[in-house]
Amino acid sequence: MIEVGMIENQKIRPAQVVGPLGEPLTLESLPSPGTTRWVVRRKAEVVAAVNGGLLTVDEACERYSLTLEEFASWQRAVDRSGMPGLRVTRLQHYKSLYERQQRF
């Protein structure tokens, strides 16, 4: 009985998933954990990795120092508008900057 439970709890992950541009994505080809400049392609790659089971949401957030809300907003943007939905306009940038300043 214990062995069955242990087998069920093991996570079986794919070696690669299909990236946002149709290319294969592996853990090694994902953006580096120290990434600070998040262009549309990198965000889409992380979302594709989570959606494909390469990473869990928690692993992605930890690996890239993202909040759950930030990752969820990327995922919503991809679901709604595809990669173009991940573009950040200047207005959105200033709005988030203002909101962060209000917290302190």
Side-chain angles (χ1 to χ4, degrees), residues 41-94:
R41 179 186 50 80
R42 291 184 189 134
K43 291 178 185 179
E45 287 174 344
V46 174
V47 171
V50 171
N51 289 346
L54 201 56
L55 291 173
T56 65
V57 173
D58 291 338
E59 289 168 339
C61 289
E62 184 177 329
R63 179 177 174 135
Y64 298 111
S65 300
L66 302 172
T67 64
L68 185 56
E69 292 78 16
E70 187 172 19
F71 176 79
S73 73
W74 293 359
Q75 205 165 34
R76 277 192 307 273
V78 169
D79 289 346
R80 288 180 186 160
S81 309
M83 284 179 62
L86 291 168
R87 289 197 178 95
V88 177
T89 65
R90 281 294 174 216
L91 183 59
Q92 290 169 324
H93 171 73
Y94 291 130

Side-chain angles (χ1 to χ4, degrees), residues 8-69:
E8 289 173 0
N9 289 333
Q10 289 178 350
K11 294 179 182 176
I12 300 171
R13 295 178 189 226
Q16 65 182 29
V17 297
V18 178
L21 302 175
E23 78 289 5
L25 279 180
T26 63
L27 286 175
E28 293 77 31
S29 67
L30 287 174
S32 70
T35 299
T36 56
R37 186 166 182 269
W38 285 102
V39 296
V40 170
R41 179 186 50 80
R42 291 184 189 134
K43 291 178 185 179
E45 287 174 344
V46 174
V47 171
V50 171
N51 289 346
L54 201 56
L55 291 173
T56 65
V57 173
D58 291 338
E59 289 168 339
C61 289
E62 184 177 329
R63 179 177 174 135
Y64 298 111
S65 300
L66 302 172
T67 64
L68 185 56
E69 292 78 16

Side-chain angles (χ1 to χ4, degrees), residues 96-104:
S96 67
L97 182 63
Y98 174 77
E99 289 170 352
R100 277 186 266 147
Q101 289 173 341
Q102 295 303 311
R103 289 187 223 151
F104 299 107

